[in-house]
Amino acid sequence: MPSHYTVLNNEALLHISGPDSLKFLQGQTTCDTNKVSPEQATVGAYCTPKGRVVCDFILCQIAGDHFALRLRRDVLETSAVTFGKYIIFSKAELNQNETNWKIYGCWGSEAKQTLYSALGTEEWAKDAAGLSYSSHCGDGFTIVQVDEAGTQFECYIDTQSRAELASQLERALSASDENHWESLQIEQGIG
């Protein structure tokens, strides 16, 4: 099966940075932020006091005290406003306007090796086998494996500082459309 990529235009990143980022998110979300590291992302949600979901997300580390919530683009602004009400009490800040980050969905039997070779992370690819939400962050990019089989990945690239990485990824994988990615996610039971 050939390996493919698509730009995930329906998804967005809500960036949070500062020394209290994970502490803030631990108190506001459903996930255990202590599990988040350069090697591990996690899934979670932000809910109202009545239990209604404001947003669900993948939380990953971008670099140092810089994290990102990958969530649906149509709830980005609402989520930022909701988090913004409480973040003022923390040594952390939100940024929803980092438009230079591009989100890719990559999949296929050769996607892992192709993706990691293009981004120079072959060693991590061996260590991440069979782990959902294992991740790897490098200078201007983060990769998150979203399935246990190791055939589906999300890749977040800062196209302003690392435009060559986006080009390498697009050359190494065959272009497809976002609907195909979403169908694969549904088949895997990924919400």
Side-chain angles (χ1 to χ4, degrees):
M1 176 172 146
S3 299
H4 301 279
Y5 80 91
T6 188
V7 177
L8 300 178
N9 293 312
N10 292 330
E11 307 295 334
L13 295 176
L14 178 58
H15 295 264
I16 181 169
S17 57
D20 286 349
S21 297
L22 290 181
K23 182 180 175 184
F24 166 74
L25 290 170
Q26 181 67 38
Q28 297 293 319
T29 66
T30 63
C31 61
D32 182 359
T33 63
N34 294 317
K35 293 181 179 178
V36 178
S37 70
E39 297 82 28
Q40 187 65 47
T42 192
V43 294
Y46 178 83
C47 301
T48 66
K50 292 183 178 182
R52 293 192 175 107
V53 174
V54 174
C55 66
D56 63 320
F57 53 81
I58 295 176
L59 171 62
C60 65
Q61 188 165 2
I62 300 292
D65 287 337
H66 182 182
F67 300 87
L69 301 165
R70 196 278 297 140
L71 41 82
R72 287 191 347 260
R73 184 171 302 283
D74 61 348
V75 298
L76 175 64
E77 191 171 323
T78 303
S79 300
V81 169
T82 303
F83 280 119
K85 291 177 188 176
Y86 306 103
I87 202 166
I88 58 173
F89 304 109
S90 301
K91 292 179 186 170
E93 60 183 49
L94 292 173
N95 186 345
Q96 68 182 23
N97 299 317
E98 288 199 34
T99 57
N100 50 316
W101 284 81
K102 202 177 227 184
I103 303 171
Y104 291 90
C106 304
W107 69 94
S109 59
E110 300 297 319
K112 178 184 273 186
Q113 193 55 45
T114 304
L115 179 61
Y116 293 137
S117 293
L119 300 176
T121 57
E122 293 91 341
E123 193 59 39
W124 179 79
K126 294 174 193 166
D127 297 338
L131 299 174
S132 292
Y133 304 106
S134 61
S135 66
H136 178 74
C137 60
D139 183 26
F141 73 92
T142 296
I143 302 166
V144 178
Q145 181 175 311
V146 297
D147 70 333
E148 289 182 13
T151 60
Q152 297 178 23
F153 304 86
E154 289 190 9
C155 187
Y156 317 131
I157 299 177
D158 180 351
T159 57
Q160 184 175 18
S161 68
R162 299 302 303 268
E164 81 284 356
L165 289 181
S167 296
Q168 281 179 293
L169 188 144
E170 291 174 4
R171 281 193 307 271
L173 301 170
S174 301
S176 189
D177 77 18
E178 195 166 1
N179 290 332
H180 192 174
W181 170 259
E182 289 173 359
S183 295
L184 289 170
Q185 298 291 283
I186 291 167
E187 287 173 14
Q188 291 289 322
I190 300 170

